[in-house]
Amino acid sequence: VTRLVVIGGSDAGVSACLQAREVDPAVEATMVLADDYPNYSICGLPMFLGGEVTDWHSLAHRTREELAAAGIEVRTKTRALAVDPRARTVRTAGPEGEADMPYDRLVIATGAEPVRPPIPGIDHEGVFLLHSVDDALAIDAFLATRAPERAIIVGAGYIGCEMADALTRRGLAVTLMEQAPAVLPTVDPQLGGILGERMGRQGVEVLAGVRVEAIERTRLRLRVQAAGGLRRTADMVLVVAGVRPVTDLARGLGLELGVRGAIRVGRGMQTPVPNVWAAGDCVETWHRLLRRPTYLPLGTTAHKQGRIAGENALGGGRVYEGTLGTQVVKVFDTVVGRTGLSEAEARLEGWDAVTAELTTWDHKVYYPGAQALHIRIVADRASGLLLGGQILGRQPSEVAKRVDVLAVALHHAMSVDAVSDLDLSYTPPLSSPWDPVQMATQAWRGRFPATP
Ligand SMILES: Cc1cc2nc3c(=O)[nH]c(=O)nc-3n(C[C@H](O)[C@H](O)[C@H](O)COP(=O)(O)OP(=O)(O)OC[C@H]3O[C@@H](n4cnc5c(N)ncnc54)[C@H](O)[C@@H]3O)c2cc1C
């Protein structure tokens, strides 16, 4: 019987165990995790903190009973301290003390931890980071017991934007500070600007182009100092400035670290150490368009990579087909999604990338409730090869579905013209005979005609 040990109990680790059990129902799969929250959807933490999800326990993708029923032995509050690849053991420290756990195959899925930017005062009471369930419970307890009135969020990436929404729902006055010229810097400032304006209409004070320099404690509150003398006071500060991979075990194994310090793995998620695979937020991510590794830590990617690691650890030959950076976020009733490269990113790679933006209705305007969609299409001028797309719209406008259409087109290296050939669905309340994404690729072609 093969003994599979997986270190990490979140998206990548659980996916590895499940797939391994699928491939070989006899495998002994043990998952060790440092915290007490196996298989929790940390993506749902902002929705819990905003009160839309009332019970945090419901964020578990699977209960412990379901994991046990799937044949996975789960060891919570158990930290892996070191791996001995010759003896094939993992040194663990858990509720019963230290032990050496033998393995035949090992998957490292230690994930990421939030970046703690070197801002003086970041350790003050009332300053929070958000990555784990424990982080969220600490914020929730603070909200419940201290009844803060004002919050400052430092960082307007997707989590910062989701949290501005969440804390507004909880009744706080929120200031959102972002160094980039607009919120949500993963999309172009044209769309980030629209999102920022809409957040402003919901009562969020959006301060973009602002570099935070210090957090100070006044007698009763926290004061955030930014460059140029800008300052705001609040009862709590949330710093959400991205994540970095957790790689201490990998470093102990002598594994090479690549982009942003993430573990370098092959396309089959294998490491150079025999019998050791790695997946999820702790590893580099193969980019399908760039044809090289990047670091794009997302739940979607962690699930896929974990599944491949689990299968390959049992002798499979799966290859990770690559990420496109597809992502979507809902902030109040606005949804913003992207896939592929922005024009700026594509130009850095040598493409003659050009963008066309189209604003059109999400469905036939004669049917009630039509909403504007803002669609930006990036493609290579000479070949018309689709390189990326970004969409902003209201929640009922199926932004995510439409981004996903572009993601499929990108995955298959389609041209903007080929998008018009796709047989997409239509009924007046939901779309138009040409879906808005097709209208947008046609608008791109209209602006950049093919040269005969
Ligand atoms: C607030 C928030 C919102 C998000 N929203 C989205 C979203 O909408 N869409 C999306 O695609 N992604 C989203 N993400 C990202 C997504 O959650 C992560 O990409 C995903 O959880 C990564 O999974 P993972 O298994 O690689 O690592 P992690 O979730 O980081 O889990 C790591 C695991 O390893 C364990 N561990 C670490 N070190 C050790 C050790 N030495 N010994 C034992 N155990 C160890 C930890 O306890 C944990 O169980 C969000 C993230 C956050 C924080």
Side-chain angles (χ1 to χ4, degrees), residues 368-406:
Q371 296 279 356
L373 280 174
H374 302 267
I375 308 180
R376 292 173 66 79
I377 297 292
V378 183
D380 181 64
R381 191 194 297 261
S383 63
L385 180 72
L386 183 66
L387 294 170
Q390 304 179 4
I391 308 182
L392 179 147
R394 302 276 178 194
Q395 190 180 4
S397 301
E398 311 234 43
V399 170
K401 166 200 135 167
R402 292 182 157 123
V403 166
D404 290 344
V405 170
L406 293 173

Side-chain angles (χ1 to χ4, degrees), residues 1-4 15-30 70-72 104-105 307 310-316:
V1 179
T2 307
R3 286 167 304 185
L4 171 72
S15 300
C17 286
L18 289 171
Q19 186 64 5
R21 292 277 309 173
E22 188 89 22
V23 171
D24 177 3
V27 69
E28 272 178 22
T30 307
I72 303 169
D104 298 312
R105 308 291 156 79
R307 185 180 165 100
E311 180 157 343
N312 291 354
L314 294 195

Side-chain angles (χ1 to χ4, degrees), residues 35-354:
D35 64 26
D36 202 17
Y37 310 105
N39 208 191
Y40 268 72
S41 170
I42 56 176
C43 306
L45 295 176
M47 293 92 217
F48 159 64
L49 289 169
E52 294 168 285
V53 173
T54 49
D55 178 5
W56 64 269
H57 296 93
S58 68
L59 296 177
H61 290 297
R62 285 172 200 79
T63 62
R64 288 182 199 219
E65 294 70 39
E66 284 166 337
L67 290 170
I72 303 169
E73 188 187 332
V74 178
R75 303 238 186 126
T76 56
K77 294 188 190 163
T78 304
R79 180 169 288 281
L81 304 175
V83 178
D84 181 341
R86 273 195 215 96
R88 282 200 270 152
T89 53
V90 181
R91 184 96 188 138
T92 59
E96 276 107 51
E98 292 200 10
D100 286 313
M101 185 181 282
Y103 69 82
D104 298 312
R105 308 291 156 79
L106 181 71
V107 175
I108 298 175
T110 45
E113 62 190 5
V115 169
R116 183 178 282 273
I119 302 172
I122 193 166
D123 295 322
H124 284 312
E125 204 213 334
V127 181
F128 296 92
L129 304 181
L130 176 61
H131 188 77
S132 63
V133 175
D134 278 330
D135 294 337
L137 294 179
I139 294 170
D140 188 53
F142 188 89
L143 293 172
T145 58
R146 305 288 189 88
E149 291 171 2
R150 302 191 69 85
I152 295 169
I153 299 175
V154 179
Y158 74 96
I159 299 175
C161 292
E162 287 178 338
M163 283 306 299
D165 172 338
L167 294 179
T168 302
R169 280 175 206 273
R170 286 287 284 260
L172 282 81
V174 176
T175 298
L176 180 60
M177 294 185 173
E178 168 58 46
Q179 201 169 336
V183 302
L184 202 63
T186 45
V187 298
D188 291 340
Q190 288 86 342
L191 298 191
I194 298 175
L195 178 64
E197 264 172 49
R198 292 191 183 178
M199 292 174 82
R201 270 183 251 139
Q202 297 284 343
V204 177
E205 183 189 25
V206 176
L207 301 175
V210 162
R211 190 161 46 82
V212 170
E213 291 187 330
I215 303 170
E216 294 160 0
R217 256 235 89 93
T218 65
R219 207 164 58 79
L220 292 172
R221 310 181 98 185
L222 291 159
R223 182 166 55 218
V224 174
Q225 293 273 137
L230 183 90
R231 54 166 73 163
R232 289 290 182 276
T233 53
D235 308 301
M236 67 181 287
V237 175
L238 177 65
V239 178
V240 269
V243 297
R244 70 164 147 257
V246 173
T247 56
D248 39 342
L249 290 174
R251 270 182 283 137
L253 270 168
L255 292 180
E256 191 189 339
L257 303 182
V259 183
R260 302 261 303 275
I263 304 168
R264 180 143 287 177
V265 285
R267 300 268 305 273
M269 312 317 295
Q270 75 279 18
T271 76
V273 175
N275 305 307
V276 180
W277 286 257
D281 280 8
C282 60
V283 305
E284 288 184 335
T285 313
W286 178 258
H287 198 290
R288 197 168 170 87
L289 286 172
L290 301 178
R291 315 301 303 165
R292 60 174 160 75
T294 51
Y295 184 61
L296 278 163
L298 281 171
T300 44
T301 305
H303 274 89
K304 291 189 197 80
Q305 293 180 337
R307 185 180 165 100
I308 291 168
E311 180 157 343
N312 291 354
L314 294 195
R318 288 241 174 229
V319 169
Y320 179 63
E321 290 293 346
T323 185
L324 295 163
T326 310
Q327 205 185 348
V328 68
V329 63
K330 173 188 158 305
V331 184
F332 299 106
D333 67 344
T334 295
V335 179
V336 190
R338 68 160 279 173
T339 183
L341 306 175
S342 69
E343 179 180 308
E345 288 164 341
R347 286 197 165 269
L348 283 178
E349 298 299 319
W351 272 294
D352 184 12
V354 280

